[in-house]
PDB file of all heavy atoms in Angstrom:
ATOM      1  N   GLY A  64      94.325  56.284  90.235  1.00 85.00           N
ATOM      2  CA  GLY A  64      94.090  55.716  91.564  1.00 85.00           C
ATOM      3  C   GLY A  64      94.861  56.370  92.699  1.00 85.00           C
ATOM      4  O   GLY A  64      94.671  56.020  93.856  1.00 85.00           O
ATOM      5  N   GLN A  65      95.731  57.324  92.395  1.00 89.00           N
ATOM      6  CA  GLN A  65      96.511  57.974  93.462  1.00 89.00           C
ATOM      7  C   GLN A  65      96.090  59.431  93.605  1.00 89.00           C
ATOM      8  O   GLN A  65      95.721  60.078  92.613  1.00 89.00           O
ATOM      9  CB  GLN A  65      97.999  57.949  93.118  1.00 89.00           C
ATOM     10  CG  GLN A  65      98.652  56.601  93.360  1.00 89.00           C
ATOM     11  CD  GLN A  65     100.143  56.697  93.080  1.00 89.00           C
ATOM     12  OE1 GLN A  65     100.544  56.923  91.945  1.00 89.00           O
ATOM     13  NE2 GLN A  65     100.945  56.535  94.114  1.00 89.00           N
ATOM     14  N   ASP A  66      96.180  59.943  94.834  1.00 91.00           N
ATOM     15  CA  ASP A  66      95.838  61.352  95.073  1.00 91.00           C
ATOM     16  C   ASP A  66      96.777  62.246  94.257  1.00 91.00           C
ATOM     17  O   ASP A  66      98.005  62.087  94.340  1.00 91.00           O
ATOM     18  CB  ASP A  66      95.978  61.662  96.573  1.00 91.00           C
ATOM     19  CG  ASP A  66      95.401  63.021  96.930  1.00 91.00           C
ATOM     20  OD1 ASP A  66      95.638  63.986  96.173  1.00 91.00           O
ATOM     21  OD2 ASP A  66      94.713  63.122  97.955  1.00 91.00           O
ATOM     22  N   VAL A  67      96.211  63.178  93.510  1.00 91.00           N
ATOM     23  CA  VAL A  67      97.048  64.028  92.645  1.00 91.00           C
ATOM     24  C   VAL A  67      98.028  64.889  93.436  1.00 91.00           C
ATOM     25  O   VAL A  67      99.099  65.246  92.949  1.00 91.00           O
ATOM     26  CB  VAL A  67      96.206  64.955  91.728  1.00 91.00           C
ATOM     27  CG1 VAL A  67      95.555  64.182  90.606  1.00 91.00           C
ATOM     28  CG2 VAL A  67      95.186  65.751  92.519  1.00 91.00           C
ATOM     29  N   ARG A  68      97.664  65.249  94.686  1.00 90.00           N
ATOM     30  CA  ARG A  68      98.540  66.096  95.501  1.00 90.00           C
ATOM     31  C   ARG A  68      99.876  65.402  95.769  1.00 90.00           C
ATOM     32  O   ARG A  68     100.902  66.053  95.873  1.00 90.00           O
ATOM     33  CB  ARG A  68      97.876  66.416  96.856  1.00 90.00           C
ATOM     34  CG  ARG A  68      96.618  67.228  96.781  1.00 90.00           C
ATOM     35  CD  ARG A  68      96.841  68.710  96.727  1.00 90.00           C
ATOM     36  NE  ARG A  68      97.603  69.216  97.851  1.00 90.00           N
ATOM     37  CZ  ARG A  68      98.229  70.388  97.842  1.00 90.00           C
ATOM     38  NH1 ARG A  68      98.205  71.135  96.763  1.00 90.00           N
ATOM     39  NH2 ARG A  68      98.897  70.803  98.892  1.00 90.00           N
ATOM     40  N   GLU A  69      99.801  64.073  95.924  1.00 88.00           N
ATOM     41  CA  GLU A  69     101.018  63.334  96.300  1.00 88.00           C
ATOM     42  C   GLU A  69     101.934  63.050  95.117  1.00 88.00           C
ATOM     43  O   GLU A  69     103.103  62.723  95.308  1.00 88.00           O
ATOM     44  CB  GLU A  69     100.626  62.003  96.966  1.00 88.00           C
ATOM     45  CG  GLU A  69     100.053  62.195  98.368  1.00 88.00           C
ATOM     46  CD  GLU A  69      99.253  61.019  98.832  1.00 88.00           C
ATOM     47  OE1 GLU A  69      99.404  59.923  98.255  1.00 88.00           O
ATOM     48  OE2 GLU A  69      98.439  61.193  99.771  1.00 88.00           O
ATOM     49  N   THR A  70     101.389  63.156  93.940  1.00 87.00           N
ATOM     50  CA  THR A  70     102.194  62.774  92.764  1.00 87.00           C
ATOM     51  C   THR A  70     102.400  63.945  91.808  1.00 87.00           C
ATOM     52  O   THR A  70     102.770  63.739  90.656  1.00 87.00           O
ATOM     53  CB  THR A  70     101.488  61.632  91.999  1.00 87.00           C
ATOM     54  OG1 THR A  70     100.176  62.085  91.641  1.00 87.00           O
ATOM     55  CG2 THR A  70     101.376  60.370  92.835  1.00 87.00           C
ATOM     56  N   ARG A  71     102.166  65.177  92.291  1.00 88.00           N
ATOM     57  CA  ARG A  71     102.151  66.297  91.345  1.00 88.00           C
ATOM     58  C   ARG A  71     103.512  66.589  90.718  1.00 88.00           C
ATOM     59  O   ARG A  71     103.592  67.202  89.674  1.00 88.00           O
ATOM     60  CB  ARG A  71     101.573  67.556  91.977  1.00 88.00           C
ATOM     61  CG  ARG A  71     102.368  68.184  93.112  1.00 88.00           C
ATOM     62  CD  ARG A  71     101.488  69.298  93.682  1.00 88.00           C
ATOM     63  NE  ARG A  71     102.156  70.170  94.607  1.00 88.00           N
ATOM     64  CZ  ARG A  71     102.144  70.013  95.922  1.00 88.00           C
ATOM     65  NH1 ARG A  71     101.550  68.959  96.444  1.00 88.00           N
ATOM     66  NH2 ARG A  71     102.724  70.888  96.707  1.00 88.00           N
TER      67      ARG A  71
END
Side-chain angles (χ1 to χ4, degrees):
Chain A
Q65 282 184 295
D66 190 317
V67 287
R68 296 275 303 161
E69 288 160 18
T70 57
R71 66 187 191 266

